[in-house]
Coordinates of all heavy atoms in Angstrom, one line a residue:
E7 N 37.0 148.7 44.5 CA 37.2 147.7 43.4 C 38.6 147.0 43.5 O 38.7 146.0 42.8 CB 37.1 148.4 42.0 CG 35.7 149.0 41.8 CD 35.6 150.5 42.4 OE1 36.5 151.0 43.0 OE2 34.5 151.1 42.3
M8 N 39.5 147.5 44.3 CA 40.8 146.9 44.3 C 40.6 145.4 44.8 O 41.5 144.6 44.5 CB 41.8 147.6 45.2 CG 42.4 148.8 44.4 SD 43.5 149.8 45.5 CE 44.7 148.5 46.1
V9 N 39.7 145.1 45.6 CA 39.5 143.7 46.1 C 39.0 142.8 44.9 O 39.2 141.6 45.1 CB 38.4 143.7 47.2 CG1 37.0 143.9 46.7 CG2 38.5 142.4 48.0
L10 N 38.6 143.4 43.8 CA 38.1 142.6 42.6 C 39.3 142.3 41.7 O 39.1 141.5 40.7 CB 37.0 143.3 41.9 CG 35.7 143.6 42.7 CD1 34.8 144.4 41.9 CD2 35.1 142.3 43.2
L11 N 40.4 142.8 41.9 CA 41.6 142.6 41.1 C 42.0 141.2 41.2 O 41.8 140.5 42.2 CB 42.8 143.6 41.4 CG 42.6 145.0 41.2 CD1 43.7 145.8 41.8 CD2 42.5 145.3 39.7
P12 N 42.7 140.6 40.2 CA 43.2 139.3 40.4 C 44.3 139.2 41.5 O 45.0 140.2 41.7 CB 43.9 139.0 39.0 CG 43.7 140.1 38.1 CD 43.0 141.2 38.9
Q13 N 44.4 138.2 42.3 CA 45.2 138.1 43.4 C 46.7 138.3 43.0 O 47.5 138.6 43.9 CB 45.0 136.8 44.2 CG 43.7 136.9 44.9 CD 43.5 135.6 45.8 OE1 44.3 134.8 45.9 NE2 42.3 135.6 46.4
W14 N 47.1 137.9 41.8 CA 48.5 138.1 41.4 C 48.9 139.5 41.2 O 50.0 139.9 41.2 CB 48.9 137.3 40.1 CG 47.9 137.6 38.9 CD1 46.9 137.0 38.6 CD2 48.1 138.7 38.1 NE1 46.3 137.6 37.4 CE2 47.0 138.7 37.2 CE3 49.0 139.8 37.9 CZ2 46.9 139.6 36.1 CZ3 48.9 140.7 37.0 CH2 47.8 140.6 36.0
F15 N 47.9 140.4 41.1 CA 48.2 141.9 40.9 C 48.8 142.5 42.1 O 48.5 142.3 43.1 CB 46.8 142.6 40.5 CG 47.0 143.9 39.9 CD1 47.5 144.1 38.6 CD2 46.8 145.1 40.7 CE1 47.6 145.3 38.0 CE2 47.0 146.3 40.1 CZ 47.4 146.4 38.8
P16 N 49.9 143.3 41.8 CA 50.7 143.8 43.0 C 49.9 144.7 43.9 O 50.2 144.8 45.0 CB 51.7 144.7 42.2 CG 51.8 144.1 40.9 CD 50.5 143.6 40.5
L17 N 48.7 145.4 43.4 CA 48.0 146.2 44.3 C 46.8 145.5 44.9 O 45.9 146.2 45.4 CB 47.6 147.5 43.5 CG 48.7 148.4 43.1 CD1 48.2 149.6 42.3 CD2 49.5 148.8 44.3
H18 N 46.6 144.3 44.7 CA 45.5 143.5 45.4 C 45.5 143.8 46.8 O 46.6 143.7 47.5 CB 45.5 142.0 45.0 CG 44.3 141.4 45.4 ND1 43.9 141.0 46.7 CD2 43.1 141.1 44.6 CE1 42.7 140.5 46.7 NE2 42.2 140.4 45.5
T19 N 44.4 143.9 47.5 CA 44.2 144.2 48.9 C 44.9 143.1 49.8 O 45.3 143.3 50.8 CB 42.8 144.5 49.3 OG1 42.0 143.3 48.9 CG2 42.3 145.7 48.7
Q20 N 44.9 141.8 49.3 CA 45.5 140.8 50.1 C 47.1 141.0 50.2 O 47.7 140.4 51.0 CB 45.2 139.4 49.5 CG 43.8 139.0 49.8 CD 43.5 137.5 49.3 OE1 44.2 137.0 48.5 NE2 42.5 137.0 49.9
R21 N 47.6 141.8 49.3 CA 49.1 142.1 49.4 C 49.4 143.2 50.3 O 50.6 143.6 50.5 CB 49.6 142.3 48.0 CG 49.5 141.1 47.0 CD 50.1 141.5 45.7 NE 50.0 140.3 44.8 CZ 51.0 139.3 44.8 NH1 52.1 139.5 45.6 NH2 50.9 138.3 44.0
L22 N 48.3 143.9 50.8 CA 48.6 145.0 51.7 C 49.1 144.5 53.0 O 48.6 143.4 53.5 CB 47.4 145.9 51.9 CG 46.8 146.6 50.7 CD1 45.6 147.3 51.0 CD2 47.9 147.7 50.3
W23 N 49.9 145.3 53.7 CA 50.3 144.9 55.1 C 49.0 144.7 55.9 O 48.0 145.5 55.7 CB 51.2 146.0 55.6 CG 51.8 145.8 56.9 CD1 52.4 144.6 57.4 CD2 52.0 146.8 58.0 NE1 52.8 144.8 58.7 CE2 52.6 146.2 59.1 CE3 51.6 148.1 58.0 CZ2 53.0 146.9 60.2 CZ3 52.0 148.8 59.2 CH2 52.6 148.2 60.3
C24 N 48.9 143.8 56.9 CA 47.7 143.5 57.5 C 47.0 144.7 58.2 O 45.9 144.9 58.1 CB 47.9 142.4 58.5 SG 49.0 142.7 59.9
Y25 N 47.8 145.5 58.7 CA 47.3 146.8 59.4 C 46.7 147.7 58.4 O 45.7 148.3 58.7 CB 48.4 147.4 60.3 CG 48.9 146.5 61.4 CD1 50.2 145.9 61.3 CD2 48.1 146.1 62.4 CE1 50.7 145.1 62.3 CE2 48.6 145.2 63.4 CZ 49.8 144.7 63.3 OH 50.3 143.9 64.3
A26 N 47.4 147.8 57.3 CA 46.9 148.8 56.3 C 45.6 148.2 55.7 O 44.7 149.0 55.5 CB 47.9 148.9 55.2
R27 N 45.6 147.0 55.5 CA 44.3 146.3 55.0 C 43.2 146.5 56.0 O 42.1 146.7 55.5 CB 44.6 144.8 54.6 CG 43.4 144.1 54.0 CD 43.7 142.7 53.5 NE 44.3 141.9 54.6 CZ 45.5 141.4 54.6 NH1 46.4 141.6 53.7 NH2 45.9 140.6 55.7
T28 N 43.5 146.3 57.2 CA 42.4 146.4 58.2 C 41.8 147.8 58.3 O 40.6 148.0 58.5 CB 43.0 146.1 59.6 OG1 43.5 144.8 59.6 CG2 42.0 146.3 60.7
V29 N 42.6 148.8 57.9 CA 42.1 150.2 57.8 C 41.5 150.5 56.5 O 40.5 151.1 56.4 CB 43.3 151.2 58.2 CG1 42.8 152.6 57.9 CG2 43.7 151.1 59.6
Y30 N 42.2 150.0 55.4 CA 41.8 150.4 54.1 C 40.4 149.9 53.7 O 39.6 150.6 53.0 CB 42.8 149.9 53.1 CG 42.6 150.3 51.7 CD1 42.9 151.5 51.2 CD2 42.0 149.4 50.8 CE1 42.6 151.9 49.9 CE2 41.8 149.7 49.4 CZ 42.0 151.0 49.0 OH 41.9 151.3 47.7
M31 N 40.2 148.6 54.1 CA 39.0 148.0 53.6 C 37.7 148.7 54.1 O 36.8 149.0 53.3 CB 38.9 146.5 53.9 CG 39.9 145.7 53.2 SD 39.9 145.9 51.4 CE 38.4 145.1 51.0
P32 N 37.5 149.0 55.4 CA 36.3 149.7 55.8 C 36.3 151.2 55.2 O 35.2 151.7 55.0 CB 36.4 149.7 57.3 CG 37.7 149.1 57.7 CD 38.3 148.5 56.5
M33 N 37.5 151.8 55.1 CA 37.5 153.1 54.5 C 37.0 153.1 53.0 O 36.2 154.0 52.7 CB 38.9 153.7 54.6 CG 39.3 154.1 56.0 SD 41.0 154.7 56.1 CE 40.8 156.4 55.3
T34 N 37.4 152.1 52.3 CA 36.9 152.0 51.0 C 35.4 151.8 50.8 O 34.7 152.4 50.0 CB 37.6 150.9 50.1 OG1 37.3 149.7 50.7 CG2 39.1 151.2 50.1
W35 N 34.9 151.0 51.8 CA 33.5 150.8 51.8 C 32.7 152.0 52.0 O 31.7 152.4 51.3 CB 33.1 149.7 52.9 CG 31.6 149.3 52.8 CD1 31.1 148.3 52.0 CD2 30.5 149.9 53.5 NE1 29.7 148.3 52.2 CE2 29.4 149.2 53.1 CE3 30.5 150.9 54.5 CZ2 28.2 149.5 53.7 CZ3 29.2 151.2 55.0 CH2 28.1 150.5 54.6
L36 N 33.2 152.8 53.0 CA 32.5 154.1 53.5 C 32.6 155.0 52.2 O 31.7 155.8 52.0 CB 33.1 154.6 54.7 CG 32.6 153.8 56.0 CD1 33.5 154.3 57.2 CD2 31.1 154.1 56.2
Y37 N 33.8 155.1 51.7 CA 34.1 155.9 50.5 C 33.1 155.6 49.3 O 32.5 156.4 48.7 CB 35.5 155.9 50.0 CG 35.8 156.7 48.8 CD1 36.0 158.1 49.0 CD2 35.7 156.2 47.5 CE1 36.2 158.9 47.9 CE2 35.9 157.0 46.4 CZ 36.2 158.4 46.6 OH 36.3 159.1 45.5
G38 N 33.0 154.3 49.1 CA 32.1 153.8 48.0 C 30.6 154.2 48.2 O 29.9 154.5 47.3
K39 N 30.2 154.1 49.5 CA 28.9 154.5 49.8 C 28.7 156.1 49.9 O 27.6 156.6 50.0 CB 28.4 153.9 51.2 CG 28.2 152.4 51.1 CD 27.0 152.1 50.5 CE 26.7 150.7 50.7 NZ 25.3 150.3 50.1
K40 N 29.9 156.7 50.0 CA 29.9 158.2 50.3 C 29.0 158.5 51.6 O 28.2 159.4 51.6 CB 29.4 159.0 49.1 CG 30.2 158.9 47.9 CD 31.5 159.6 48.0 CE 32.3 159.7 46.6 NZ 32.9 158.6 46.2
Y41 N 29.1 157.6 52.6 CA 28.4 157.7 53.8 C 28.7 159.0 54.6 O 29.9 159.3 54.8 CB 28.5 156.6 54.7 CG 27.9 156.7 56.0 CD1 26.4 156.5 56.1 CD2 28.4 157.3 57.2 CE1 25.8 156.7 57.2 CE2 27.7 157.6 58.3 CZ 26.4 157.3 58.4 OH 25.7 157.6 59.5
S42 N 27.7 159.7 54.9 CA 27.8 160.9 55.9 C 26.7 160.8 56.9 O 25.6 160.5 56.4 CB 27.7 162.2 55.1 OG 28.9 162.4 54.3
C43 N 27.1 161.1 58.1 CA 26.0 161.1 59.1 C 25.0 162.3 58.8 O 25.3 163.2 58.0 CB 26.5 161.3 60.5 SG 27.0 162.9 61.0
P44 N 23.8 162.2 59.3 CA 22.8 163.2 59.0 C 23.2 164.6 59.5 O 24.0 164.7 60.5 CB 21.6 162.8 59.9 CG 21.8 161.3 60.0 CD 23.2 161.1 60.1

């Protein structure tokens, strides 16, 4: 949900260092889905 925060908010994902954002975004998606392989 951090991606839904207003862009001015200090913890918005666009404010993350590019490498951290590249890792964080897919991790949050998998976490949100609670994906586990069979």
Side-chain angles (χ1 to χ4, degrees):
E7 298 84 1
M8 281 179 54
V9 74
L10 301 174
L11 293 170
Q13 289 187 2
W14 57 262
F15 193 75
L17 295 177
H18 190 280
T19 54
Q20 286 186 339
R21 295 183 177 272
L22 295 174
W23 186 41
C24 64
Y25 300 109
R27 185 174 54 246
T28 301
V29 171
Y30 184 80
M31 294 308 293
M33 286 177 75
T34 62
W35 187 86
L36 290 166
Y37 178 84
K39 292 281 191 181
K40 300 284 194 284
Y41 174 82
S42 291
C43 79

